[in-house]
C-alpha cells in the first residue's frame, strides 16, 4: 500500500466505517495512563462497596471518577476539534458539525 494512502486510511476523517483517530504516541500514552488510574479507582469503589464503607465516602470517590473521566473527555474533545473536525470542514464535510454537537450533548448530560 502506498505510504500516503496508508496515512490517509489512519486519519479519522475518511470514510465513516474506517475512521480512526490520529493521536501521537505521547497523547495516546497520556490518555491510557489516565484511564488506567480511573480503572483502578473504579475497582477501589467496588471494594469499598464490598466492605460496606460509609456511603458518603463511596459517593465522594464516584464524584472523583466522574471528574477524571470528564478530564479525559475534554482532552479528547479538544484534540478532535483541532484535528478531525477542522480537517473535515476543510474538505467541505459540514456534517461533522452535527456529529460534534450530538457528541457534546451526550458529554454534557
Amino acid at each position: 500500500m502506498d505510504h500516503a494512502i496508508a496515512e490517509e486510511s489512519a486519519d479519522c476523517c475518511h470514510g465513516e466505517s474506517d475512521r480512526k483517530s490520529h493521536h501521537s504516541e505521547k497523547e495516546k500514552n497520556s490518555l491510557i495512563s489516565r484511564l488506567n488510574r480511573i480503572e483502578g479507582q473504579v475497582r477501589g469503589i467496588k471494594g469499598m462497596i464490598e466492605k460496606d464503607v460509609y456511603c458518603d465516602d463511596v459517593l465522594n470517590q464516584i464524584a472523583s471518577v466522574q471528574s477524571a473521566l470528564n478530564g479525559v473527555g475534554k482532552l479528547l474533545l479538544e484534540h478532535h476539534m483541532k484535528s478531525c473536525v477542522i480537517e473535515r470542514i476543510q474538505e467541505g464535510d459540514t456534517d461533522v458539525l452535527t456529529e460534534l454537537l450530538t457528541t457534546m450533548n451526550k458529554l454534557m448530560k
Side-chain angles (χ1 to χ4, degrees):
M1 180 183 281
D2 181 38
H3 183 64
I5 293 172
E7 280 183 43
E8 218 174 283
S9 66
D11 190 326
C12 70
C13 307
H14 294 278
E16 208 169 306
S17 62
D18 62 5
R19 275 190 270 166
K20 294 183 181 182
S21 290
H22 44 146
H23 302 286
S24 70
E25 282 303 309
K26 182 179 177 184
E27 289 169 330
K28 190 184 298 187
N29 289 337
S30 175
L31 291 169
I32 290 170
S33 176
R34 284 171 173 254
L35 290 168
N36 285 336
R37 283 194 301 274
I38 292 167
E39 184 179 23
Q41 286 179 290
V42 171
R43 281 194 305 272
I45 292 169
K46 179 182 174 192
M48 291 173 80
I49 290 174
E50 291 170 344
K51 295 174 186 169
D52 295 321
V53 171
Y54 185 60
C55 293
D56 191 60
D57 294 335
V58 176
L59 291 167
N60 282 317
Q61 287 303 309
I62 290 171
S64 177
V65 168
Q66 288 172 327
S67 177
L69 277 172
N70 286 339
V72 171
K74 286 176 189 175
L75 286 175
L76 279 169
L77 181 60
E78 178 182 352
H79 177 78
H80 182 57
M81 290 176 72
K82 289 180 176 179
S83 59
C84 302
V85 173
I86 288 173
E87 289 174 19
R88 287 177 60 187
I89 289 171
Q90 288 173 340
E91 293 171 357
D93 180 2
T94 56
D95 290 340
V96 70
L97 295 176
T98 302
E99 176 187 281
L100 178 63
L101 289 171
T102 300
T103 299
M104 290 178 69
N105 282 328
K106 289 177 185 176
L107 285 172
M108 293 182 183
K109 281 187 176 181

